[in-house]
Amino acid sequence: MLQVQELVKHFGGIRAVDGVSFEVAAGECVALIGPNGAGKSTCFACIAGQYPLTGGRILWNGQALEKLAPAARLRHGVARTFQVAQVFEALTVLQNVQLAVQASRAQNAISAFKPLDRQSVGAARALLDQTGLGASDGEDVANLAYGAKKRLELAIALAAAPRLLLLDEPAAGLAEAERASLMQLVKTLAGQGMAVLYTEHNMDAVAGVADRVLVLIEGRIAAQGSFDAISRDAEVRRLYLGDGLEADGDGADARGAAHA
Ligand code: ADP
Ligand code: MG
């Protein structure tokens, strides 16, 4: 289980994250939502190790993560994706995932300067099949459609066999149908026992997907609960979702994007 306790991250005078506590259990799919600038990506960076904390604690299965480098956190099963996909454009889809598989086996950071070995092909192909990219294996990443790039980033994260998966806007920029199928894949991963924490602005990627929703506003958790419960929360509606979103209506409105 992930335990975030009184997490604080300030950038000079900016209180990006200002005392945030929550937990994510194995098998749980939790959405972290909130307006742009609320501190969602900063939370992810603190959990995955890109930023040192200003204060607070982060525990994963009882182990303190905050002193560990990102690669060491990855060895403990903590993997993340980024709001803007981080992939090697000059390589093929398969080669990108091969490098990730090899890095995971050697317990190294992923590098485009490592030689590719044949032993990583099988595992890489399995990850491409799992993420719906099996038919795109030979394509250069530079030519890949945006949605396929987001799937590739997920395949790269899965190469580390994570137990905690942090997905920063995994479906950003995708059309509705593609977003729905990607989010079903994310939900399936949680169903297989992974702890999943993700951010998203489109409420159709939260309703029916997240087991629980955390609403982050100005660096603090303003509300948490089921999607239906937070959609009824007057404060959340005023500060983020707006009055266009009716959780107890026919659901049509809940497919809109929240105010960003
Ligand atoms: P979100 O992902 O919810 O949109 P962010 O975590 O990216 O929000 O940003 C939260 C706040 O922290 C914003 O005010 C942002 O400008 C600020 N911030 C984020 N990263 C940095 C940084 N590296 N240096 C300075 N300020 C930052
Ligand atoms: Mg962000």
Side-chain angles (χ1 to χ4, degrees):
M1 136 156 2
L2 171 70
Q3 295 170 288
V4 175
Q5 299 173 343
E6 292 299 319
L7 176 63
V8 176
K9 179 63 185 177
H10 294 173
F11 299 102
I14 298 170
R15 296 163 176 253
V17 178
D18 207 19
V20 162
S21 301
F22 63 86
E23 296 180 348
V24 184
E28 232 188 341
C29 187
V30 176
L32 180 65
I33 66 171
N36 273 332
K40 304 180 297 295
S41 292
T42 302
C43 277
F44 276 37
C46 289
I47 298 168
Q50 282 80 34
Y51 291 151
L53 312 190
T54 305
R57 304 203 66 198
I58 297 171
L59 303 171
W60 170 238
N61 293 335
Q63 151 109 43
L65 290 185
E66 59 266 10
K67 297 272 187 317
L68 302 180
R73 295 185 205 205
L74 196 55
R75 286 196 287 278
H76 281 93
V78 178
R80 75 166 290 192
T81 64
F82 291 83
Q83 196 169 329
V84 178
Q86 311 256 312
V87 292
F88 296 113
E89 298 269 339
L91 301 178
T92 67
V93 169
L94 181 65
Q95 287 168 337
N96 264 272
V97 180
Q98 276 185 269
L99 286 177
V101 168
Q102 289 175 201
S104 169
R105 286 181 179 166
Q107 306 212 330
N108 288 328
I110 296 175
S111 161
F113 300 104
K114 293 269 156 54
L116 291 161
D117 70 52
R118 296 294 306 165
Q119 277 142 26
S120 58
V121 172
R125 282 199 191 285
L127 288 163
L128 291 181
D129 289 339
Q130 188 183 5
T131 50
L133 286 172
S136 309
D137 56 350
E139 279 187 50
D140 286 340
V141 170
N143 302 331
L144 222 49
Y146 186 72
K149 219 176 262 186
K150 298 294 269 185
R151 286 176 180 272
L152 175 58
E153 215 200 0
L154 185 56
I156 288 170
L158 292 176
R163 305 307 303 152
L164 169 61
L165 190 56
L166 306 163
L167 304 172
D168 199 353
E169 305 200 15
L174 301 187
E176 185 176 336
E178 206 173 3
R179 184 163 66 238
S181 93
L182 187 64
M183 293 317 299
Q184 276 314 307
L185 172 59
V186 168
K187 196 169 171 57
T188 303
L189 295 171
Q192 292 165 355
M194 238 174 257
V196 177
L197 180 67
Y198 72 100
T199 68
E200 180 53 46
H201 282 300
N202 286 285
M203 291 304 116
D204 63 7
V206 178
V209 177
D211 299 314
R212 201 147 54 79
V213 181
L214 308 168
V215 185
L216 190 67
I217 294 178
E218 292 183 355
R220 294 168 186 263
I221 302 280
Q224 59 179 303
S226 68
F227 178 75
D228 283 355
I230 62 108
S231 320
R232 281 193 297 267
D233 186 301
E235 192 71 352
V236 173
R237 297 175 73 103
R238 187 173 71 77
L239 293 171
Y240 180 50
L241 295 176
D243 282 329
L245 193 137
E246 294 293 341
D248 50 6
D250 63 6
D253 292 325
R255 283 192 265 280
H259 303 169

